[in-house]
Amino acid sequence: SEMPPMVRTNIPGYTLMRFDLKDWSPVAALPAPQQPVGATFGDRLRLVGADALDNGPGGLRWILYWEALRPLEGDLGVAVQLVNADGRVALTHNQAPSAPWLAAAAFPVGVPLRGLTQVDFPKDFAPGEYEVVVRVWDPAAQQNLTAAGPSGMALGDAVSLGRVQVTPAMLAAK
């Protein structure tokens, strides 16, 4: 648009916004993740990488990059979990691999897809350091898919995205 930014809110339930973008240089059609992962779940799905987003009060957010290695049959689920120092899962967030409206069976083979993952803290969640792990659930087999690192090394059924420090400020209500 060559016009000033505009916001319209007169459409019930929607907000329309227009911006003047003259410099498109930061826009990338196929962006590279900040944290390459390259882990494969089964022989079906690759977690290409992740972008940790700014974490504000109430939760943690990532963009996860996925790639189907072959046509996916049925739906798969993704669990992003926070594991405490004792090795126990303290929090689990379940979702579709990319977005709730895109079934895994519709993933195009060999095309990286991104999706937002937002893990909201329950009111009684404790501050501390947690490992962030990702698992892929196959509902047809009723089990998590096994994971392998980029070199093919077996990782069990979970891939680590590293550690995160959850502070009392992050646990504050939104």
Side-chain angles (χ1 to χ4, degrees), residues 100-169:
W101 55 86
L102 179 61
F107 273 35
V109 174
V111 177
L113 298 175
R114 301 181 291 168
L116 175 66
T117 297
Q118 181 167 330
V119 178
D120 295 323
F121 299 123
K123 292 190 184 298
D124 61 346
F125 197 74
E129 186 175 71
Y130 295 89
E131 181 180 16
V132 180
V133 298
V134 177
R135 290 182 162 88
V136 175
W137 175 256
D138 180 350
Q142 289 292 295
Q143 66 182 16
N144 289 316
L145 298 178
T146 57
S151 66
M153 183 178 82
L155 301 173
D157 71 351
V159 172
S160 178
L161 294 182
R163 303 190 75 71
V164 65
Q165 185 69 37
V166 176
T167 65

Side-chain angles (χ1 to χ4, degrees), residues 65-91:
Y65 295 71
W66 296 97
E67 180 182 6
L69 301 176
R70 62 181 174 89
L72 300 176
E73 299 158 5
D75 283 332
L76 299 173
V78 170
V80 176
Q81 299 177 319
L82 300 184
V83 179
N84 66 20
D86 297 333
R88 287 182 292 179
V89 174
L91 182 60

Side-chain angles (χ1 to χ4, degrees), residues 47-67:
L47 178 56
V48 177
D51 295 342
L53 302 177
D54 292 335
N55 297 312
L60 301 169
R61 299 178 309 137
W62 293 269
I63 300 291
L64 298 180
Y65 295 71
W66 296 97
E67 180 182 6

Side-chain angles (χ1 to χ4, degrees), residues 2-102:
E2 291 293 327
M3 301 173 74
M6 174 196 71
V7 176
R8 270 201 195 143
T9 58
N10 61 345
I11 302 170
Y14 294 93
T15 299
L16 278 144
M17 303 164 94
R18 180 182 66 215
F19 299 94
D20 189 11
L21 298 176
K22 294 182 191 249
D23 180 8
W24 289 81
S25 61
V27 176
L30 294 172
Q34 297 166 0
Q35 177 186 355
V37 176
T40 301
F41 290 90
D43 61 348
R44 305 185 229 180
L45 192 61
R46 177 175 293 126
L47 178 56
V48 177
D51 295 342
L53 302 177
D54 292 335
N55 297 312
L60 301 169
R61 299 178 309 137
W62 293 269
I63 300 291
L64 298 180
Y65 295 71
W66 296 97
E67 180 182 6
L69 301 176
R70 62 181 174 89
L72 300 176
E73 299 158 5
D75 283 332
L76 299 173
V78 170
V80 176
Q81 299 177 319
L82 300 184
V83 179
N84 66 20
D86 297 333
R88 287 182 292 179
V89 174
L91 182 60
T92 298
H93 170 76
N94 296 308
Q95 70 175 59
S98 178
W101 55 86
L102 179 61

